[in-house]
Amino acid sequence: MERKNARDQLHFGIIGKGQVASLHLRSVALEGGSVLSAGCFSRNPERNQEQAALLGISKERVYASFGEMAEVETTRPDPIDFVVVTTPNYSHFEIASAFLTHGIPVLCEKPLTTSLEQAEALAQTVSETHGLFCVNYTYSGYPMLHQAQRMIQSGLLGTLIRVVVEYQQDRQFMTNLPDGDWRKDPLSAGSGCTADIGVHAWHLVSMVTGLKAQRLMALFSSKPEQLPVETDVTATVRYQGGASGVLIASKTSIGHNCDITLRVYGTLGSLEWTHSAPQKLIFSPLGEPVRIYSAANPYLCPDIRELSRLSSGHMEGLHDAQANIYRPFIRNIQDRKRGCESGLYDYPTIEDGLDGVRFLDACLRSVRNNSQWVDFFA
C-alpha cells in the first residue's frame, strides 16, 4: 500500500450527516492521508455545532450553509482540498455547483442529480472550471470487478452478447421510513428504487463491460401500490454493437438484504461476481473448466492487487470498496497540487454520474410511455 507523508496530507469538509456521512468518514479514515477540517451538518445551529464537536471540528469552521462554507473556505490560508456531499438527491446540484465554482474538488453521493437537465449543467460546470469531480458508486471499488473489467478488455470473453445485473433488497418491508421521508418524494429523490439502487447496478455494467446503451425499456412497480415512487424496476437494454441486457433492482425481494449479482456473457466465456462473496470472480471459458479468481493473489495484475487491503482469503467489505474510490480521487488532488497530473485516475467521474442520470431519465420516459422502447440519448 502507498505510504503517506505529511506533505501529501489533505484537508476536507463534509456536507450532510447520518449513516451515509458516517460511511464516508470511516472510508476516508481507512484510506488515510486526509483530515476532516470543516463541515455543515444541520440547519439547526445547536445540532450543527454538536455534530462538529463530536467530529473534532473547530467552531470557526462549522458553517450555517454550504454556500457560506464554499465562500469562506476559499478565503482561508488553509482551505479544504475537497468536499464530500452526502445530502438528499435534490440538493446535489446546488451544493456541487457552489464548490466547483469556488475551485474546490467534489466527491458527491449518487445519483448525480434528480434531472438530466441539471446533470448536463453540472457536467458543463466541471468542464468550464476544470474541476475534479467523483461520484460515489461505492460497489465499483471492489478489486475483483476491476479484474473482470481487465479480462473483458483483453478479449477473454470474446464478443459480449448479454449482461444481467441484479440488486435485490427487502428494505421496503424491513425498514419503516417516516411519511415525510424525502426518499418517498419523486421531486426530492428523482425516483424511488431506480435512483437509490438501480443506478448502482447500471454503473457496474458500464464500468465492467464498457458497453454503451442504445435503447431501453423499463417497467416500474410499487408495493404498496399507492406509493408515489417505485419500489421495483426491471429494464431491458439494447447496447450499441448488438449486446442485450437486463437490469433488476428491487426493494421488495424478501430474504435479500443487499444482494448484487453481475453476470457477463460473451462468445468465448462468461464472468460472474456477487456482493455476497466480493473477493471472488467466477470465469467460465468456453469448453474448459470453471476458474475462480480470488482477490489479493499474485496472479492478478499488480495495480489490482493493490486495491486489496487484506491478504488473500479474507472477506473485503463496503468500507474497503469505498476507500478504493477515495484513493485515486485523493491522488488526483495531490498530483494536481504538485503540478504533475498523469491523467490516469480510476474513479467514477462526472461522466459516469451523467450516464447514471441518463439511465434514470430513460427509465422514466419509458414508463411514461407505457413501458415502450425509448432511445437512450433522447
Side-chain angles (χ1 to χ4, degrees):
M1 186 178 294
E2 183 183 25
R3 295 177 66 86
K4 305 292 191 304
N5 58 62
R7 251 185 344 183
D8 292 331
Q9 188 176 72
L10 300 180
H11 295 266
F12 73 99
I14 193 165
I15 309 291
K17 61 177 182 177
Q19 183 178 10
V20 174
S22 297
L23 175 61
H24 279 273
L25 292 173
R26 290 192 292 269
S27 299
V28 176
L30 183 61
E31 174 55 25
S34 298
V35 177
L36 178 63
S37 303
C40 176
F41 306 100
S42 174
R43 294 186 181 92
N44 182 300
E46 291 184 2
R47 292 177 185 171
N48 199 18
Q49 289 290 344
E50 287 174 0
Q51 182 67 25
L54 287 173
L55 295 172
I57 300 174
S58 59
K59 290 185 178 181
E60 68 270 15
R61 298 187 79 170
V62 185
Y63 299 96
S65 69
F66 66 84
E68 179 191 18
M69 180 171 162
E71 185 171 348
V72 173
E73 279 295 317
T74 54
T75 65
R76 292 179 59 93
D78 57 345
I80 55 173
D81 295 292
F82 67 94
V83 67
V84 180
V85 181
T86 69
T87 54
N89 302 350
Y90 67 88
S91 63
H92 292 176
F93 175 72
E94 285 190 319
I95 297 173
S97 297
F99 283 95
L100 286 168
T101 55
H102 283 83
I104 298 174
V106 176
L107 190 148
C108 183
E109 264 301 324
K110 54 77 211 167
L112 182 63
T113 61
T114 56
S115 74
L116 183 56
E117 182 182 20
Q118 285 186 339
E120 290 174 338
L122 193 57
Q124 183 65 27
T125 299
V126 172
S127 176
E128 291 173 350
T129 61
H130 303 287
L132 298 181
F133 198 99
C134 178
V135 183
N136 188 45
Y137 289 125
T138 312
Y139 306 101
S140 64
Y142 280 110
M144 298 316 292
L145 286 170
H146 289 264
Q147 174 69 20
Q149 178 192 61
R150 199 69 58 84
M151 293 168 72
I152 290 171
Q153 290 173 346
S154 70
L156 281 177
L157 266 60
T159 301
L160 299 187
I161 56 177
R162 189 171 72 260
V163 58
V164 180
V165 62
E166 300 179 26
Y167 192 150
Q168 308 273 15
Q169 291 183 348
D170 57 7
R171 294 191 66 183
Q172 179 62 24
F173 300 127
M174 300 297 291
T175 304
N176 294 319
L177 296 175
D179 290 337
D181 188 88
W182 62 267
R183 293 173 184 83
K184 294 181 179 180
D185 180 2
L187 294 178
S188 298
S191 74
C193 171
T194 312
D196 194 21
I197 62 177
V199 292
H200 273 305
W202 180 261
H203 177 67
L204 289 187
V205 173
S206 300
M207 184 204 85
V208 171
T209 69
L211 291 171
K212 303 296 182 183
Q214 184 175 42
R215 306 196 76 204
L216 179 150
M217 177 178 63
L219 178 68
F220 285 178
S221 61
S222 298
K223 296 292 182 292
E225 294 181 0
Q226 65 269 26
L227 277 179
V229 294
E230 80 285 357
T231 58
D232 303 86
V233 57
T234 300
T236 304
V237 188
R238 177 67 67 185
Y239 292 98
Q240 297 174 20
S244 64
V246 176
L247 180 149
I248 299 172
S250 171
K251 292 194 171 185
T252 62
S253 299
I254 293 176
H256 296 269
N257 300 128
C258 184
D259 291 344
I260 308 169
T261 302
L262 175 66
R263 299 181 180 93
V264 184
Y265 300 92
T267 55
L268 299 179
S270 69
L271 289 170
E272 180 175 340
W273 177 88
T274 175
H275 189 236
S276 61
Q279 78 280 13
K280 295 186 180 298
L281 178 67
I282 301 174
F283 174 42
S284 302
L286 180 64
E288 298 180 26
V290 173
R291 304 169 189 175
I292 299 178
Y293 289 70
S294 296
N297 275 294
Y299 50 73
L300 303 178
C301 298
D303 58 324
I304 293 175
R305 291 202 304 270
E306 287 180 1
L307 293 175
S308 296
R309 297 160 194 277
L310 300 172
S311 57
S312 61
H314 292 86
M315 183 69 75
E316 296 167 340
L318 197 64
H319 293 105
D320 300 270
Q322 185 159 296
N324 283 339
I325 291 174
Y326 272 100
R327 177 179 292 178
F329 182 61
I330 287 172
R331 184 182 296 129
N332 196 174
I333 296 170
Q334 291 169 335
D335 288 351
R336 175 168 288 194
K337 291 180 69 175
R338 292 193 293 258
C340 59
E341 283 184 277
S342 68
L344 302 174
Y345 305 98
D346 191 5
Y347 58 83
T349 65
I350 186 72
E351 291 301 323
D352 296 303
L354 178 57
D355 185 65
V357 178
R358 282 199 178 108
F359 162 68
L360 176 58
D361 179 74
C363 286
L364 291 169
R365 285 189 285 114
S366 175
V367 170
R368 285 195 295 264
N369 285 280
N370 198 30
S371 294
Q372 297 296 310
W373 283 96
V374 297
D375 291 334
F376 188 73
F377 293 94

